[in-house]
Amino acid sequence: MSNVISAAETDRALKARHRAMWALGDYPAVASEIIPNLGATLVQACDVRPGDRVLDIAAGTGNAAIPAAAAGAEVVACDLTPELLEAGRRSSAEHGVELEWRQADAEALPFANGEFDTVLSCVGIMFAPHHQAAADEMLRVCRPGGTIGLLNWTPEGFIGQMFTAMKPYASPPPPGTQPPPLWGRPEHIRALFGDQITDVTADRRTVQIDRFTTPESFRDYFKSNYGPTVAAYRAIANDPDRVTALDHDLAALAHRHTHDTGTTSMAWEYLLLTARKTEG
């Protein structure tokens, strides 16, 4: 029993750190200013229709949930971080759509088996630390024959490479957890879902990012607003040399990915995957 309690306590502490990390900075600004259209891309790929019952897992501020509701679906948006849900409520009100917002752990969803026609996640579930547990829950709450939809950053793309660049500076992940960008590999997702999905389509695409004028402006924006980057800097705050090194590495990353010498115009790669849950 003591081992079970210890594991549960460890998981609660891990999830508390995740909640705190995503509350750092200003992720609502990142979602609305940098990647505002990714959620709608996923909703369209999932062919969400009026009357569909849709769950957006790790919804953040609702980049996918709000377009799904606008399409006429009955939507539940869940996330681990209350601050993001509150920002999502404000955003949905501004967009004039109604949906349900629920605080929930992607690895232990408070929903019934087969409750939803479509279960999707836009650069969200990939950050759940235990990939198999999250995938199992995604499948469990989707009805047989329902749609699974995922939009995740790839390991080889810009955001995947940013996490690689930050890894030496960030606090080490707990044992048993897996890196988020693995969700950007079709073979990883197929291994997680196994024979529980069929009719899989997987496309690598890019989103054009023209928000930043210099590599340094990208770095400073993410340093101030993106929770994982803010957390990495906090982990080394007492070591000025390492702060300087991370400053350099993030600006150098943006410079390598810039393809327009007049601006810092970058193409960030993601994987768009849809599938059907098997009927069996």
Side-chain angles (χ1 to χ4, degrees):
M1 180 64 71
S2 61
N3 288 339
V4 173
I5 293 173
S6 177
E9 290 175 346
T10 298
D11 189 65
R12 282 195 295 271
L14 173 60
K15 300 301 170 56
R17 289 197 296 274
H18 271 242
R19 282 195 300 271
M21 179 182 72
W22 288 106
L24 295 173
D26 189 353
Y27 186 75
V30 176
S32 63
E33 296 173 3
I34 310 302
I35 52 170
N37 299 318
L38 286 190
T41 296
L42 178 59
V43 168
Q44 183 177 24
C46 291
D47 193 25
V48 172
R49 300 183 180 186
D52 286 351
R53 177 84 166 152
V54 175
L55 175 65
D56 184 3
I57 299 176
T61 56
N63 265 25
I66 291 172
E74 181 182 345
V75 180
V76 178
C78 69
D79 198 276
L80 193 64
T81 304
E83 291 87 347
L84 299 186
L85 294 172
E86 186 55 40
R89 289 187 184 96
R90 293 194 297 269
S91 182
S92 60
E94 291 169 1
H95 284 83
V97 296
E98 293 185 2
L99 60 150
E100 181 181 351
W101 299 87
R102 293 277 299 274
Q103 185 176 1
D105 181 351
E107 298 175 8
L109 296 170
F111 307 111
N113 295 350
E115 185 172 339
F116 298 94
D117 300 303
T118 298
V119 183
L120 52 78
S121 185
C122 181
V123 296
I125 200 172
M126 65 181 293
F127 293 102
H130 305 105
H131 294 189
Q132 190 63 63
D136 289 348
E137 282 293 270
M138 192 173 204
L139 277 172
R140 181 183 65 79
V141 300
C142 185
R143 67 167 174 81
T147 300
I148 300 287
L150 292 160
L151 192 156
N152 298 314
W153 302 119
T154 66
E156 301 80 11
F158 180 83
I159 296 295
Q161 290 301 298
M162 184 183 73
F163 275 93
T164 298
M166 293 191 302
K167 184 177 180 180
Y169 304 95
S171 300
T177 62
Q178 294 176 283
L182 283 179
W183 280 88
R185 289 182 173 160
E187 61 272 21
H188 182 67
I189 296 175
R190 286 178 178 271
L192 291 174
F193 290 109
D195 61 2
Q196 298 300 301
I197 57 172
T198 186
D199 300 330
V200 177
T201 63
D203 296 316
R204 290 180 181 268
R205 300 185 183 183
T206 59
V207 57
Q208 200 67 30
I209 306 297
D210 297 314
R211 168 70 166 70
F212 307 107
T213 57
T214 65
E216 291 75 19
S217 67
F218 152 77
R219 177 200 65 208
D220 294 343
Y221 183 93
F222 268 61
K223 185 176 179 178
S224 297
N225 294 301
Y226 190 60
T229 308
V230 177
Y233 274 98
R234 288 194 175 189
I236 58 172
N238 294 326
D239 190 335
D241 289 341
R242 298 191 76 201
V243 170
T244 298
L246 182 53
D247 278 346
H248 170 271
D249 290 352
L250 290 181
L253 174 69
H255 180 74
R256 289 196 301 273
H257 281 259
T258 297
H259 56 76
D260 182 342
T261 56
T263 64
T264 303
S265 179
M266 297 179 281
W268 293 2
E269 186 182 68
Y270 62 87
L271 176 73
L272 178 63
L273 183 144
T274 61
R276 296 283 180 188
K277 181 179 174 179
T278 56
E279 296 279 359

